[in-house]
């Protein structure tokens, strides 16, 4: 394998595990990256965006699913574009919501970084 292939595998694992961490392990914990002011969970963050709890569950299901597909794509390459484009689309929505409620710019950084990582994954997967 070439160095590029190792880098893409690393990016897939980093992005996938990071999304799973946020949505499964950190979902009910406050972090400085959450949208809104002093929100303590993802559900409260979605409320700060003016979005419903049901919508939060739909987005969570999709993000977890796409993250799992991205991780699985290390072995099953044909899953790469589905997982990566799906996550990139949802992460773009995250950045837009941060701007919508006029969050500090740094709160958009993780989503923007993961968008960039997905762009690299997609580019080298085509």
């Amino acid at each position: 394998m070439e160095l590029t292939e190792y880098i893409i595998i690393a990016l897939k694992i980093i992005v996938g595990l990071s999304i799973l961490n946020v949505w499964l392990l950190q979902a009910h914990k406050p972090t400085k990256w959450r949208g809104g002011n002093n929100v303590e969970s993802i559900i409260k963050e979605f409320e700060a965006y003016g979005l419903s709890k049901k919508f939060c569950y739909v987005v969570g299901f999709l993000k977890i699913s796409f993250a799992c597909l991205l991780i699985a794509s290390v072995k099953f390459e044909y899953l790469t574009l589905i997982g990566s484009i799906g996550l990139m689309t949802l992460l773009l929505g995250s950045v837009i919501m941060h701007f919508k409620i006029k969050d500090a710019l740094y709160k958009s950084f993780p989503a923007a970084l993961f968008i960039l990582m997905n762009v690299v994954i997609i580019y080298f997967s085509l």
Side-chain angles (χ1 to χ4, degrees):
M1 267 201 293
E2 293 182 29
L3 178 62
T4 305
E5 293 173 288
Y6 286 112
I7 292 170
I8 297 306
I9 289 170
L11 289 175
K12 289 177 178 183
I13 292 169
I14 290 166
V15 172
L17 289 179
S18 296
I19 297 296
L20 292 176
N21 177 53
V22 168
W23 281 88
L24 298 175
L25 302 178
Q26 305 294 323
H28 300 289
K29 297 178 182 174
T31 74
K32 69 179 185 175
W33 310 106
R34 293 224 185 277
N37 295 317
N38 301 319
V39 296
E40 66 275 356
S41 70
I42 287 179
I43 292 172
K44 295 292 184 190
E45 182 176 11
F46 271 66
E47 289 174 3
Y49 297 143
L51 302 171
S52 71
K53 192 175 184 179
K54 282 184 183 180
F55 191 71
C56 178
Y57 290 136
V58 169
V59 169
F61 173 79
L62 290 171
K63 280 194 176 181
I64 290 167
S65 298
F66 289 136
C68 288
L69 288 175
L70 194 59
I71 293 168
S73 75
V74 170
K75 175 74 173 159
F76 305 102
E77 187 66 32
Y78 63 91
L79 298 174
T80 300
L81 292 178
I82 298 167
S84 195
I85 292 171
L87 278 176
M88 192 173 67
T89 302
L90 293 171
L91 290 163
L92 182 59
S94 299
V95 171
I96 290 168
M97 296 315 294
H98 282 293
F99 282 112
K100 176 187 172 201
I101 64 169
K102 297 179 177 43
D103 268 337
L105 191 58
Y106 77 88
K107 290 188 177 193
S108 297
F109 177 75
L113 178 61
F114 291 141
I115 289 170
L116 180 62
M117 289 176 166
N118 276 296
V119 167
V120 172
I121 292 166
I122 292 164
Y123 177 79
F124 284 103
S125 296
L126 294 176

